[in-house]
Amino acid sequence: MADEPLVLGIETSCDETGVGIVRGTTLLADSIASSVDEHARFGGVVPEVASRAHLEAMVPTVERALKEAGVSARDLDGIAVTAGPGLAGALLVGVSAAKAYAYALGKPLYGVNHLASHICVDQLEHGPLPEPTMALLVSGGHSSLLLAPDITADVRPMGATIDDAAGEAFDKIARVLQLGFPGGPVIDRLAREGDPAAIAFPRGLTGPRDAPYDFSFSGLKTSVARWIEAKRAAGEDVPVRDVAASFQEAVVDVLTRKAVRACKDEGVDHLMIGGGVAANSRLRALAADRCERAGIRLRVPRPGLCTDNGAMVAALGAEMVARNRPASDWDLSADSSLPVTETHVPGQGHAHGHGHGHTHDHDHVHEVSKDNLYS
Ligand code: KG4
Ligand code: ZN
């Protein structure tokens, strides 16, 4: 609908420069430049390389998104940007760019949470999120179970990994198997030709006394690495497909079991799965199966919206505008460890908010001194 907020979102928390444009819950553009190839030879994301790549990709990616959406920057109702969590230097490029665009265009600026954005993106695919929604967020940096009564203002952590993130475990096992980086997609592909029951790898934190919603993947990782080493030491071939399938099964078994349990315990009948690992085909299939049996409606965005992108940031930004949440101040800074409970970074002294219809708030712009624009 034409009266829904038109928002541009910028994402630079890791190695993708993402710029998305949405109107309300409708996706208009999703433009991405990735520096993943530049990191591959290091086996992981190199922060300095990522920051430089963001800097080079930013303006062309914004221009591509505007062209793709067929809108003019002047028509935007706000600029949203990932304020954290993520790599500090990488976030800083996005935050600085968002400030510059917002300031130059006279639009409100919304610094938003990367994790809440991973959840909110599903609105672009499946419409407004039910309230509350249970969310399983699994990426290279995070693995959490979150209860979200209101994605713009109220996200409550139920549990999280106590060591590695799920995606990190995929990446580390892929390295041991010499499959390259990132590991998730290649393990997913090889696992389809392997036997998930070939090797009984441990399921972390599933004992009766363990925290019901926390995760642990470091024991699994060690166990898989030792199993592979033993095979190599014995001069035997490593059955890569079976190892991939059995490892993947151990991860997704625990993730889905705990997510369904959290839904049942909290009486929530919707589960959303987001983050890069939500692109995993076995996770999607097992979650669908277990949710169906438990009477839970499952929502998982298409794989391209699960991994980092700008549309997810725009989706949360549009929701912030629609709900009249306060805009951020011009001294908004990147916060590499922004807590998941802080869905956005509201400014001080903006009680009137910057809701839809207040897109030309010149007072807000004139309060700014150029000194703090790039702070
Ligand atoms: O959300 P994301 O793009 O970036 C972070 O915020 O971390 O997630 C990246 C992670 C990587 O660890 C990658 O290996 C994993 O998501 N991943 C997958 C798959 N696609 C990406 N893991 C398992 N299966 C996949 N198909
Ligand atoms: Zn992410």
Side-chain angles (χ1 to χ4, degrees):
M1 280 196 300
D3 60 348
E4 288 181 304
L6 181 68
V7 172
L8 179 141
I10 297 177
E11 153 63 36
T12 63
S13 70
C14 194
D15 59 343
E16 355 265 355
T17 312
V19 179
I21 298 175
V22 309
R23 191 185 292 282
T25 59
T26 306
L27 176 64
L28 301 183
D30 183 15
S31 179
I32 290 179
S34 176
S35 60
V36 68
D37 295 344
E38 293 173 54
H39 306 288
R41 68 192 171 101
F42 301 105
V45 175
V46 183
E48 295 303 322
V49 174
S51 304
R52 182 176 295 261
H54 287 310
L55 204 54
E56 284 166 8
M58 183 57 63
V59 173
T61 309
V62 168
E63 282 171 2
R64 229 176 29 244
L66 286 167
K67 200 168 163 207
E68 190 184 321
V71 299
S72 156
R74 280 188 304 277
D75 299 331
L76 295 169
D77 294 308
I79 309 275
V81 60
T82 302
L87 301 170
L91 289 166
L92 201 58
V93 178
V95 168
S96 304
K99 282 182 190 177
Y101 280 110
Y103 185 69
L105 294 162
K107 310 290 181 187
L109 170 73
Y110 295 86
V112 303
N113 190 300
H114 180 79
L115 307 176
S117 302
H118 266 305
I119 300 173
C120 197
V121 72
D122 194 51
Q123 299 207 132
L124 304 177
E125 191 122 301
H126 300 113
L129 283 169
E131 298 184 326
T133 291
M134 186 67 71
L136 171 66
L137 196 74
V138 275
S139 71
H142 301 270
S143 296
S144 322
L145 261 171
L146 304 164
L147 180 62
D150 174 349
I151 195 59
T152 63
D154 187 6
V155 173
R156 304 174 194 173
M158 302 274 301
T161 181
I162 59 165
D163 40 58
D164 294 347
E168 207 177 338
F170 272 91
D171 295 337
K172 286 179 178 170
I173 293 306
R175 194 182 314 166
V176 176
L177 290 170
Q178 291 155 345
L179 299 174
F181 173 84
V186 52
I187 288 186
D188 190 349
R189 201 166 59 243
L190 289 171
R192 281 175 215 166
E193 293 156 19
D195 176 4
I199 312 148
F201 288 129
R203 269 64 172 160
L205 291 186
T206 48
R209 284 166 200 252
D210 290 325
Y213 314 126
D214 282 344
F215 304 106
S216 168
F217 298 110
S218 88
L220 169 64
K221 183 187 70 191
T222 308
S223 170
V224 176
R226 289 226 176 103
W227 194 94
I228 295 167
E229 272 165 32
K231 279 274 166 197
R232 285 180 182 150
E236 294 174 35
D237 284 344
V238 176
V240 175
R241 289 171 173 76
D242 285 348
V243 172
S246 300
F247 157 75
Q248 175 176 273
E249 197 66 17
V251 174
V252 306
D253 177 25
V254 176
L255 291 175
T256 53
R257 222 192 291 175
K258 295 201 172 204
V260 167
R261 177 165 175 189
C263 289
K264 283 187 182 164
D265 290 353
E266 295 293 318
V268 174
D269 60 2
H270 278 83
L271 173 67
M272 185 275 160
I273 308 185
V277 180
N280 184 268
S281 61
R282 179 60 186 146
L283 174 60
R284 299 168 81 96
L286 189 60
D289 191 36
R290 288 184 171 169
C291 281
E292 197 186 332
R293 269 188 269 155
I296 296 164
R297 293 278 292 275
L298 178 67
R299 295 170 58 123
V300 197
R302 71 181 119 95
L305 291 179
C306 289
T307 45
D308 290 348
N309 63 82
M312 66 191 217
V313 179
L316 184 54
E319 202 56 49
M320 293 288 170
V321 176
R323 296 192 187 209
N324 251 310
R325 300 286 175 230
S328 301
D329 283 337
W330 294 112
D331 63 359
L332 171 72
S333 46
D335 181 351
S336 60
S337 53
L338 188 69
V340 66
T341 47
E342 290 179 28
T343 52
H344 73 306
V345 186
Q348 309 296 314
H350 291 287
H352 60 286
H354 286 277
H356 191 213
H358 299 271
T359 55
H360 297 284
D361 191 331
H362 293 293
D363 290 349
H364 181 63
V365 169
H366 288 159
E367 278 164 18
V368 179
S369 84
K370 283 216 167 111
D371 297 344
N372 64 14
L373 188 58
Y374 298 102
S375 63

PDB file of all heavy atoms in Angstrom, residues 16 114 118 139-141 167-168 170-171 182-185 188 275-277 279-280 306-308, ligand 1:
ATOM      1  N   GLU A  16      28.871  -9.175   4.180  1.00  0.00           N
ATOM      2  CA  GLU A  16      28.045  -8.751   3.068  1.00  0.00           C
ATOM      3  C   GLU A  16      27.646  -7.293   3.234  1.00  0.00           C
ATOM      4  O   GLU A  16      27.212  -6.882   4.304  1.00  0.00           O
ATOM      5  CB  GLU A  16      26.745  -9.546   2.867  1.00  0.00           C
ATOM      6  CG  GLU A  16      26.527 -10.707   3.743  1.00  0.00           C
ATOM      7  CD  GLU A  16      26.985 -11.999   3.074  1.00  0.00           C
ATOM      8  OE1 GLU A  16      27.392 -11.990   1.893  1.00  0.00           O
ATOM      9  OE2 GLU A  16      26.934 -12.998   3.767  1.00  0.00           O
ATOM     10  N   HIS A 114      20.788  -6.267  14.602  1.00  0.00           N
ATOM     11  CA  HIS A 114      20.972  -7.270  13.558  1.00  0.00           C
ATOM     12  C   HIS A 114      20.125  -8.527  13.811  1.00  0.00           C
ATOM     13  O   HIS A 114      19.562  -9.110  12.885  1.00  0.00           O
ATOM     14  CB  HIS A 114      22.459  -7.636  13.509  1.00  0.00           C
ATOM     15  CG  HIS A 114      22.838  -8.649  12.486  1.00  0.00           C
ATOM     16  ND1 HIS A 114      22.994  -8.331  11.159  1.00  0.00           N
ATOM     17  CD2 HIS A 114      23.086  -9.980  12.590  1.00  0.00           C
ATOM     18  CE1 HIS A 114      23.337  -9.428  10.492  1.00  0.00           C
ATOM     19  NE2 HIS A 114      23.388 -10.443  11.335  1.00  0.00           N
ATOM     20  N   HIS A 118      17.017 -10.234  11.643  1.00  0.00           N
ATOM     21  CA  HIS A 118      16.954 -11.604  11.111  1.00  0.00           C
ATOM     22  C   HIS A 118      15.562 -12.215  11.338  1.00  0.00           C
ATOM     23  O   HIS A 118      15.138 -13.089  10.585  1.00  0.00           O
ATOM     24  CB  HIS A 118      17.993 -12.493  11.811  1.00  0.00           C
ATOM     25  CG  HIS A 118      19.305 -12.601  11.104  1.00  0.00           C
ATOM     26  ND1 HIS A 118      19.418 -13.002   9.793  1.00  0.00           N
ATOM     27  CD2 HIS A 118      20.576 -12.385  11.541  1.00  0.00           C
ATOM     28  CE1 HIS A 118      20.715 -13.035   9.458  1.00  0.00           C
ATOM     29  NE2 HIS A 118      21.427 -12.646  10.497  1.00  0.00           N
ATOM     30  N   SER A 139      23.139 -18.401  13.343  1.00  0.00           N
ATOM     31  CA  SER A 139      24.002 -17.817  12.317  1.00  0.00           C
ATOM     32  C   SER A 139      25.449 -18.151  12.634  1.00  0.00           C
ATOM     33  O   SER A 139      25.735 -18.988  13.486  1.00  0.00           O
ATOM     34  CB  SER A 139      23.792 -16.305  12.275  1.00  0.00           C
ATOM     35  OG  SER A 139      24.347 -15.729  13.433  1.00  0.00           O
ATOM     36  N   GLY A 140      26.365 -17.476  11.935  1.00  0.00           N
ATOM     37  CA  GLY A 140      27.779 -17.722  12.171  1.00  0.00           C
ATOM     38  C   GLY A 140      28.246 -17.152  13.503  1.00  0.00           C
ATOM     39  O   GLY A 140      29.230 -17.610  14.076  1.00  0.00           O
ATOM     40  N   GLY A 141      27.539 -16.157  13.996  1.00  0.00           N
ATOM     41  CA  GLY A 141      27.946 -15.518  15.242  1.00  0.00           C
ATOM     42  C   GLY A 141      27.023 -15.779  16.415  1.00  0.00           C
ATOM     43  O   GLY A 141      27.387 -15.536  17.564  1.00  0.00           O
ATOM     44  N   GLY A 167      26.537 -21.932  13.210  1.00  0.00           N
ATOM     45  CA  GLY A 167      27.217 -21.710  11.936  1.00  0.00           C
ATOM     46  C   GLY A 167      28.730 -21.853  12.066  1.00  0.00           C
ATOM     47  O   GLY A 167      29.410 -22.357  11.164  1.00  0.00           O
ATOM     48  N   GLU A 168      29.228 -21.418  13.224  1.00  0.00           N
ATOM     49  CA  GLU A 168      30.658 -21.538  13.511  1.00  0.00           C
ATOM     50  C   GLU A 168      31.053 -23.021  13.530  1.00  0.00           C
ATOM     51  O   GLU A 168      32.121 -23.399  13.037  1.00  0.00           O
ATOM     52  CB  GLU A 168      30.876 -20.931  14.899  1.00  0.00           C
ATOM     53  CG  GLU A 168      32.201 -20.360  15.190  1.00  0.00           C
ATOM     54  CD  GLU A 168      32.204 -19.746  16.597  1.00  0.00           C
ATOM     55  OE1 GLU A 168      31.136 -19.405  17.161  1.00  0.00           O
ATOM     56  OE2 GLU A 168      33.308 -19.632  17.144  1.00  0.00           O
ATOM     57  N   PHE A 170      29.577 -25.436  11.866  1.00  0.00           N
ATOM     58  CA  PHE A 170      29.598 -25.867  10.452  1.00  0.00           C
ATOM     59  C   PHE A 170      30.913 -25.428   9.797  1.00  0.00           C
ATOM     60  O   PHE A 170      31.545 -26.196   9.074  1.00  0.00           O
ATOM     61  CB  PHE A 170      28.416 -25.258   9.682  1.00  0.00           C
ATOM     62  CG  PHE A 170      27.151 -26.086   9.748  1.00  0.00           C
ATOM     63  CD1 PHE A 170      26.207 -25.872  10.740  1.00  0.00           C
ATOM     64  CD2 PHE A 170      26.905 -27.079   8.808  1.00  0.00           C
ATOM     65  CE1 PHE A 170      25.039 -26.629  10.798  1.00  0.00           C
ATOM     66  CE2 PHE A 170      25.746 -27.840   8.853  1.00  0.00           C
ATOM     67  CZ  PHE A 170      24.806 -27.618   9.852  1.00  0.00           C
ATOM     68  N   ASP A 171      31.303 -24.182  10.057  1.00  0.00           N
ATOM     69  CA  ASP A 171      32.515 -23.657   9.421  1.00  0.00           C
ATOM     70  C   ASP A 171      33.771 -24.394   9.898  1.00  0.00           C
ATOM     71  O   ASP A 171      34.677 -24.668   9.114  1.00  0.00           O
ATOM     72  CB  ASP A 171      32.643 -22.148   9.679  1.00  0.00           C
ATOM     73  CG  ASP A 171      31.508 -21.359   9.022  1.00  0.00           C
ATOM     74  OD1 ASP A 171      30.916 -21.878   8.055  1.00  0.00           O
ATOM     75  OD2 ASP A 171      31.218 -20.243   9.469  1.00  0.00           O
ATOM     76  N   PRO A 182      32.520 -20.373   3.324  1.00  0.00           N
ATOM     77  CA  PRO A 182      31.906 -20.858   4.571  1.00  0.00           C
ATOM     78  C   PRO A 182      31.486 -22.321   4.455  1.00  0.00           C
ATOM     79  O   PRO A 182      31.222 -22.813   3.353  1.00  0.00           O
ATOM     80  CB  PRO A 182      30.697 -19.952   4.740  1.00  0.00           C
ATOM     81  CG  PRO A 182      30.339 -19.527   3.355  1.00  0.00           C
ATOM     82  CD  PRO A 182      31.616 -19.492   2.574  1.00  0.00           C
ATOM     83  N   GLY A 183      31.417 -22.987   5.589  1.00  0.00           N
ATOM     84  CA  GLY A 183      31.227 -24.432   5.586  1.00  0.00           C
ATOM     85  C   GLY A 183      29.790 -24.902   5.463  1.00  0.00           C
ATOM     86  O   GLY A 183      29.532 -26.006   4.989  1.00  0.00           O
ATOM     87  N   GLY A 184      28.840 -24.055   5.918  1.00  0.00           N
ATOM     88  CA  GLY A 184      27.450 -24.495   5.950  1.00  0.00           C
ATOM     89  C   GLY A 184      26.916 -25.029   4.628  1.00  0.00           C
ATOM     90  O   GLY A 184      26.454 -26.174   4.554  1.00  0.00           O
ATOM     91  N   PRO A 185      26.986 -24.234   3.564  1.00  0.00           N
ATOM     92  CA  PRO A 185      26.394 -24.684   2.302  1.00  0.00           C
ATOM     93  C   PRO A 185      27.007 -25.979   1.762  1.00  0.00           C
ATOM     94  O   PRO A 185      26.281 -26.835   1.253  1.00  0.00           O
ATOM     95  CB  PRO A 185      26.656 -23.504   1.352  1.00  0.00           C
ATOM     96  CG  PRO A 185      26.826 -22.320   2.255  1.00  0.00           C
ATOM     97  CD  PRO A 185      27.451 -22.845   3.503  1.00  0.00           C
ATOM     98  N   ASP A 188      25.893 -28.962   3.898  1.00  0.00           N
ATOM     99  CA  ASP A 188      24.483 -29.188   3.557  1.00  0.00           C
ATOM    100  C   ASP A 188      24.387 -30.044   2.278  1.00  0.00           C
ATOM    101  O   ASP A 188      23.670 -31.043   2.217  1.00  0.00           O
ATOM    102  CB  ASP A 188      23.835 -27.807   3.351  1.00  0.00           C
ATOM    103  CG  ASP A 188      22.316 -27.844   3.229  1.00  0.00           C
ATOM    104  OD1 ASP A 188      21.760 -28.941   3.094  1.00  0.00           O
ATOM    105  OD2 ASP A 188      21.697 -26.766   3.260  1.00  0.00           O
ATOM    106  N   GLY A 275      18.517 -16.470  10.357  1.00  0.00           N
ATOM    107  CA  GLY A 275      19.978 -16.511  10.405  1.00  0.00           C
ATOM    108  C   GLY A 275      20.505 -17.449   9.331  1.00  0.00           C
ATOM    109  O   GLY A 275      19.752 -18.264   8.783  1.00  0.00           O
ATOM    110  N   GLY A 276      21.785 -17.326   9.032  1.00  0.00           N
ATOM    111  CA  GLY A 276      22.381 -18.079   7.924  1.00  0.00           C
ATOM    112  C   GLY A 276      22.140 -19.582   7.967  1.00  0.00           C
ATOM    113  O   GLY A 276      21.906 -20.214   6.928  1.00  0.00           O
ATOM    114  N   VAL A 277      22.183 -20.178   9.168  1.00  0.00           N
ATOM    115  CA  VAL A 277      22.024 -21.629   9.268  1.00  0.00           C
ATOM    116  C   VAL A 277      20.581 -22.060   8.948  1.00  0.00           C
ATOM    117  O   VAL A 277      20.330 -23.213   8.600  1.00  0.00           O
ATOM    118  CB  VAL A 277      22.483 -22.127  10.662  1.00  0.00           C
ATOM    119  CG1 VAL A 277      22.335 -23.637  10.808  1.00  0.00           C
ATOM    120  CG2 VAL A 277      23.942 -21.730  10.914  1.00  0.00           C
ATOM    121  N   ALA A 279      19.200 -21.484   6.411  1.00  0.00           N
ATOM    122  CA  ALA A 279      19.214 -21.879   4.994  1.00  0.00           C
ATOM    123  C   ALA A 279      19.443 -23.388   4.860  1.00  0.00           C
ATOM    124  O   ALA A 279      19.274 -23.951   3.780  1.00  0.00           O
ATOM    125  CB  ALA A 279      20.317 -21.114   4.256  1.00  0.00           C
ATOM    126  N   ASN A 280      19.826 -24.036   5.957  1.00  0.00           N
ATOM    127  CA  ASN A 280      20.155 -25.469   5.893  1.00  0.00           C
ATOM    128  C   ASN A 280      18.929 -26.325   5.570  1.00  0.00           C
ATOM    129  O   ASN A 280      17.905 -26.276   6.249  1.00  0.00           O
ATOM    130  CB  ASN A 280      20.754 -25.906   7.243  1.00  0.00           C
ATOM    131  CG  ASN A 280      21.220 -27.344   7.225  1.00  0.00           C
ATOM    132  OD1 ASN A 280      20.485 -28.258   7.561  1.00  0.00           O
ATOM    133  ND2 ASN A 280      22.449 -27.560   6.793  1.00  0.00           N
ATOM    134  N   CYS A 306      17.654 -15.554   4.651  1.00  0.00           N
ATOM    135  CA  CYS A 306      18.166 -16.058   5.935  1.00  0.00           C
ATOM    136  C   CYS A 306      19.577 -15.549   6.183  1.00  0.00           C
ATOM    137  O   CYS A 306      19.925 -15.131   7.285  1.00  0.00           O
ATOM    138  CB  CYS A 306      18.183 -17.582   5.947  1.00  0.00           C
ATOM    139  SG  CYS A 306      16.545 -18.324   6.024  1.00  0.00           S
ATOM    140  N   THR A 307      20.423 -15.610   5.150  1.00  0.00           N
ATOM    141  CA  THR A 307      21.782 -15.089   5.304  1.00  0.00           C
ATOM    142  C   THR A 307      21.703 -13.551   5.318  1.00  0.00           C
ATOM    143  O   THR A 307      20.679 -12.974   4.963  1.00  0.00           O
ATOM    144  CB  THR A 307      22.678 -15.578   4.143  1.00  0.00           C
ATOM    145  OG1 THR A 307      21.952 -15.425   2.925  1.00  0.00           O
ATOM    146  CG2 THR A 307      23.014 -17.049   4.293  1.00  0.00           C
ATOM    147  N   ASP A 308      22.796 -12.921   5.755  1.00  0.00           N
ATOM    148  CA  ASP A 308      22.772 -11.468   5.951  1.00  0.00           C
ATOM    149  C   ASP A 308      22.382 -10.717   4.677  1.00  0.00           C
ATOM    150  O   ASP A 308      22.858 -11.037   3.590  1.00  0.00           O
ATOM    151  CB  ASP A 308      24.157 -10.983   6.408  1.00  0.00           C
ATOM    152  CG  ASP A 308      24.468 -11.435   7.828  1.00  0.00           C
ATOM    153  OD1 ASP A 308      23.550 -11.909   8.517  1.00  0.00           O
ATOM    154  OD2 ASP A 308      25.633 -11.297   8.236  1.00  0.00           O
TER     155      ASP A 308
HETATM  156  O1  KG4 B   1      23.522 -14.931   9.208  1.00  0.00           O
HETATM  157  P1  KG4 B   1      24.802 -15.124   8.479  1.00  0.00           P
HETATM  158  O2  KG4 B   1      24.808 -14.877   6.978  1.00  0.00           O
HETATM  159  O3  KG4 B   1      25.943 -14.244   9.075  1.00  0.00           O
HETATM  160  C1  KG4 B   1      26.068 -14.059  10.459  1.00  0.00           C
HETATM  161  O4  KG4 B   1      25.381 -13.158  11.012  1.00  0.00           O
HETATM  162  O5  KG4 B   1      26.831 -14.877  11.044  1.00  0.00           O
HETATM  163  O6  KG4 B   1      25.275 -16.624   8.778  1.00  0.00           O
HETATM  164  C2  KG4 B   1      26.452 -17.170   8.224  1.00  0.00           C
HETATM  165  C3  KG4 B   1      26.598 -18.600   8.713  1.00  0.00           C
HETATM  166  C4  KG4 B   1      27.914 -19.262   8.316  1.00  0.00           C
HETATM  167  O7  KG4 B   1      28.480 -19.878   9.470  1.00  0.00           O
HETATM  168  C5  KG4 B   1      27.502 -20.302   7.282  1.00  0.00           C
HETATM  169  O8  KG4 B   1      28.345 -21.448   7.267  1.00  0.00           O
HETATM  170  C6  KG4 B   1      26.099 -20.646   7.741  1.00  0.00           C
HETATM  171  O9  KG4 B   1      25.545 -19.415   8.165  1.00  0.00           O
HETATM  172  N1  KG4 B   1      25.294 -21.212   6.669  1.00  0.00           N
HETATM  173  C7  KG4 B   1      24.804 -22.469   6.698  1.00  0.00           C
HETATM  174  C8  KG4 B   1      24.145 -22.677   5.452  1.00  0.00           C
HETATM  175  N2  KG4 B   1      24.241 -21.518   4.729  1.00  0.00           N
HETATM  176  C9  KG4 B   1      24.946 -20.636   5.494  1.00  0.00           C
HETATM  177  N3  KG4 B   1      24.889 -23.435   7.640  1.00  0.00           N
HETATM  178  C10 KG4 B   1      24.310 -24.619   7.361  1.00  0.00           C
HETATM  179  N4  KG4 B   1      23.680 -24.893   6.195  1.00  0.00           N
HETATM  180  C11 KG4 B   1      23.570 -23.960   5.216  1.00  0.00           C
HETATM  181  N5  KG4 B   1      22.939 -24.256   4.075  1.00  0.00           N
END
